Amino acid sequence: MNFTRWSARLPGTRRAARDDRSSVPAARAEYARPEPGSGPADGDTLKASPGASAEISQEDTGQTSGPLSGPALLEDLSAREILGRLPALVALVHGPDHRIAYVNDAYAAAFGPRPTGATAAEAMPELDELSLLPLMDQVLRSGTPRTVKSRKVRSGNSYTVTCTPVATPTAPPVDGMSKNKNGRNKGGEGGGVLLYAADVTDHAEAAERLRTSERRHRETAVTLQRSLLPQELEQPDDLRIAATYQPGGTDAAVGGDWYDVITLGAGRTALVIGDVMGRGVRAAAVMGQLRTAVRAYARLDLPPHEVLQLLDGLAAEIDASQIATCAYAVHDPNEGRLVYASAGHLPILVRDQDGTVHRAEDPTGPPLGTGGWIHTSGTIALPPGSTAVLYTDGLVERRSEDIDEGVAALERALSGAKGSPQVVCDRLIRSLGVTAEHDDDVAVLVVQHPARTGTNAELFHNASLDLLGGIEAAPRARAFATGVLTSWRFPVELCDLGVLAASELVANSLQHGIPPMRLGLRRTDRRLIIEVTDGDDHLPRRRRAEPADESGRGISIVATIASSWGSRRTPGGGKAVWCEFALPQ
């Protein structure tokens, strides 16, 4: 310990300062150190007792210092006096059982007086509260100082404590003892430990307030994030879906990962996964706006690339500094595939029934908000028995490896992942090593297209009829619908409503559409779907017909009797108009 640096802070030992006349007034100079060559000869000691004064001549400059008064030199103070005046808490213990040899006034003021000769374990319970007794044993054995930071006692104060070994350099080693590299005894009766404790209560309380504030901020962001995610996933008739969201660990700010499942009608389903490249409440707020916009654009039943095109412009308007990635896919049960578009997002993975994993590669555009890019759509097969996985980069990205290696690891994990969608979610999370302390948010969406057999398969049927010719196609369509719905053993009332809806949709297509035309009927375990397609891309609108009008009532009739209805443009340039009836459960 360097006592010289403390000497200027001890009462009665302030350093002298020379004025312009090179003299030190007696009222201000209590301690002065002679300049080299101007003081006593080597080995002499300059002393000044209280009330005395001394002149120090400096021959090289011709200057003379002022008188000295008060406690003279640092050498006049014993170690006990110096330690006793320190504001920090100091205690000295000796021997393997740590018997108390000394505590300074600051220590006694903080914890009370301590009896000399008593063991620390019995007379110094505060050391046990600070968990210092095992550390003191280690310091005594090793001869190496140790420090513990910001530990709290029952009174509420926090201390940073340094334990320093103390030994007599010249003492011979005791039996069973060794010496460290400095020649000092390690352990045994000849050694001791000096405890130096600094009160850091203010710093500890400030740090705790900061941690509490950060924890509340993170909890707010997590709550906002979870509230903006779907509270319950929609479950389409033809798919089984599960999703998992896990925020980053306590040291990581919450990001803007999100997912969504949107039923589009006529058995079609939109799947969305996205990631805002920011942190905290701001990223979560941007994510919520993008998710809402995606749902609105999805209701227009646009192709995936058109949805991303609209979302790209909106993302730049929301916050130009926030960049987001997104993958948007649509599943049509009649096609057995996913039509998708990606804005800078990681590829969708599909596992076949035999365990083979396919990666959806192109097309992939830049992230949302960058602008100037024309997005396009691609396709990937999703046959019965297959599983698709959509995910964010937190699942596969690691600081120590390339992200392609993470995607390859996910492919390997997916190839052996079987079970329900939720089971697959959990297995992928575990396989990729994602824990509660993970440094990034993770969102995973698992979609299964089950292979149905036996009685379950009997609940799913498709039937279709090409509408050839002119108006004579209408009675053929009615007869076809009547026969199919009867064979599916629907109640008579539902058969009549289904035939009426099919007749109105066919009549609308015959009057306003162009060939090719087709009537499709589909039943699932929960609904009846009727759809008519033709080659014209003008979408019908529901309007109010006047009493004298001879047309314009077909769509209104369908909207009235069906559970829902809608229309969309088809990739070939035509349109599809559909309606649904909920089946009695």
Side-chain angles (χ1 to χ4, degrees), residues 439-493:
D439 61 356
D440 196 5
D441 290 24
V442 175
V444 182
L445 183 65
V446 174
V447 181
Q448 288 184 348
H449 186 188
R452 296 180 174 86
T453 57
T455 57
N456 190 31
E458 292 298 319
L459 299 177
F460 292 81
H461 289 287
N462 287 284
S464 60
L465 173 69
D466 291 329
L467 302 176
L468 304 176
I471 59 174
E472 65 274 11
R476 291 200 302 270
R478 284 192 295 271
F480 174 77
T482 300
V484 170
L485 298 182
T486 301
S487 67
W488 289 348
R489 299 179 182 179
F490 285 148
V492 175
E493 181 180 358

Side-chain angles (χ1 to χ4, degrees), residues 130-378:
L130 294 169
S131 302
L132 290 179
L133 294 177
L135 184 66
M136 292 162 58
D137 292 335
Q138 181 183 356
V139 169
L140 194 61
R141 288 194 305 268
S142 66
T144 304
R146 293 286 187 270
T147 299
V148 294
K149 296 183 179 180
S150 189
R151 291 192 176 179
K152 184 180 289 187
V153 295
R154 293 178 183 176
S155 63
N157 287 17
S158 297
Y159 296 91
T160 291
V161 185
T162 298
C163 299
T164 304
V166 178
T168 303
T170 58
V174 181
D175 291 343
M177 283 177 26
S178 61
K179 290 189 175 185
N180 61 18
K181 63 180 181 180
N182 297 320
R184 296 185 180 272
N185 293 333
K186 298 194 295 182
E189 299 291 340
V193 178
L194 179 70
L195 291 89
Y196 181 90
D199 192 332
V200 294
T201 304
D202 292 342
H203 296 282
E205 290 178 350
E208 181 61 28
R209 287 193 297 270
L210 179 60
R211 286 192 295 268
T212 301
S213 176
E214 292 176 346
R215 184 168 57 252
R216 289 177 178 173
H217 180 81
R218 183 178 184 277
E219 289 173 354
T220 300
V222 171
T223 302
L224 176 62
Q225 174 86 348
R226 291 193 181 278
S227 66
L228 294 174
L229 292 174
Q231 303 304 303
E232 185 176 352
L233 288 177
E234 298 182 28
Q235 293 292 337
D237 298 352
D238 295 272
L239 301 175
R240 296 293 176 264
I241 301 177
T244 296
Y245 169 74
Q246 179 171 311
T250 55
D251 295 333
V254 177
D257 295 18
W258 93 90
Y259 56 82
D260 209 348
V261 178
I262 309 166
T263 54
L264 303 177
R268 302 169 70 253
T269 306
L271 310 167
V272 191
I273 191 88
D275 186 4
V276 178
M277 302 300 182
R279 296 288 183 183
V281 175
R282 185 179 180 183
V286 172
M287 177 274 289
Q289 296 178 76
L290 292 178
R291 176 176 174 255
T292 301
V294 169
R295 294 190 70 87
Y297 296 148
R299 297 304 179 189
L300 300 176
D301 216 338
L302 300 172
H305 64 275
E306 292 188 22
V307 171
L308 291 189
Q309 205 73 51
L310 294 172
L311 204 60
D312 183 37
L314 180 64
E317 295 176 6
I318 292 175
D319 191 339
S321 64
Q322 295 277 11
I323 296 178
T325 64
C326 180
Y328 181 92
V330 175
H331 174 258
D332 190 329
N334 297 317
E335 299 177 354
R337 61 177 182 170
L338 288 177
V339 181
Y340 69 92
S342 175
H345 205 78
L346 294 167
I348 300 172
L349 301 181
V350 175
R351 176 190 182 275
D352 290 339
Q353 197 167 9
D354 61 359
T356 304
V357 177
H358 305 277
R359 182 186 301 189
E361 297 292 350
D362 292 332
T364 298
L368 300 174
T370 55
W373 182 265
I374 304 300
H375 291 274
T376 56
S377 296

